[in-house]
Amino acid sequence: MGRLEDLILHNACLTRHELGEALNRIASLDDEGTLHDKDLGRIAYAYQRMSWWQQVTDLTHGREETVDGATALEIVRQRAQDLLINARPLTNGGLFALAMAESRRGGARAFLDATQKLADALTPPPPPDTHPVNATTAHPIARRGRACG
C-alpha cells in the first residue's frame, strides 16, 4: 500500500471518528437530556462525509474492483460531482427527505473540497502545445492581435 492509500485510510478513519462523536451525543443522553435538530444534522452530515471516503476505501481494498488510490479518488470525485450536478430537486417526501438530500449534497461538497488539492496534484499538466479553451464557445481563446476564427 502506498502513501496515497495511507492518506485515504487516514481520512476515512477521521470521518468515522467524527461520526462516532456525533452518535455519542445520542448515546450519552440521560433521562433529562434533549436531542436538538443540530445534533441530528451533525450526524447526517458526518455520515454522508464518511460514506464518500468509504467508497474510496472500498475501491482500494477490493470490496469493488480493486484500483490504486489515485484512480479510486478520481472515480469517487466524479460520483460526487455527478450527484451535485445531476441531483433532481425533491418535490415530495417531507422535511426528513429534504434534510437527508441536503446532507448528501453537503457531504459530496465537503468531500470534493477536502480532495481538491490532492486531485490537482494527481492531474498531469496539459501538453505544452495545448491552447486554453473558452468554455462558452469551445473554441481556442484568441491570442493578442488575432481574432477567433
Side-chain angles (χ1 to χ4, degrees), residues 12-90:
C13 288
L14 283 176
T15 57
R16 280 189 202 95
H17 179 72
E18 290 172 16
L19 176 59
E21 286 182 353
L23 290 169
N24 281 339
R25 169 77 176 110
I26 293 174
S28 65
L29 287 177
D30 57 17
D31 292 337
E32 297 177 19
T34 303
L35 188 64
H36 300 282
D37 291 346
K38 67 179 180 179
D39 298 318
L40 295 174
R42 184 175 170 214
I43 292 167
Y45 180 68
Y47 173 78
Q48 293 300 330
R49 289 184 49 234
M50 188 262 324
S51 72
W52 291 105
W53 285 105
Q54 184 65 50
Q55 288 181 53
V56 178
T57 60
D58 286 352
L59 287 167
T60 59
H61 289 81
R63 289 187 180 87
E64 295 182 27
E65 182 182 329
T66 303
V67 297
D68 64 281
T71 303
L73 196 60
E74 182 180 318
I75 289 169
V76 178
R77 281 183 55 81
Q78 185 61 50
R79 290 176 186 171
Q81 289 172 346
D82 288 346
L83 176 93
L84 291 173
I85 293 169
N86 299 322
R88 298 190 185 275
L90 292 178

Side-chain angles (χ1 to χ4, degrees), residues 125-146:
D129 62 341
T130 304
H131 299 289
V133 174
N134 182 333
T136 59
T137 62
H139 294 290
I141 297 175
R143 295 182 187 207
R144 279 192 184 155
R146 292 178 52 189

Side-chain angles (χ1 to χ4, degrees), residues 113-131:
D113 290 346
T115 58
Q116 183 63 54
K117 287 183 181 176
L118 191 54
D120 290 345
L122 294 171
T123 304
D129 62 341
T130 304
H131 299 289

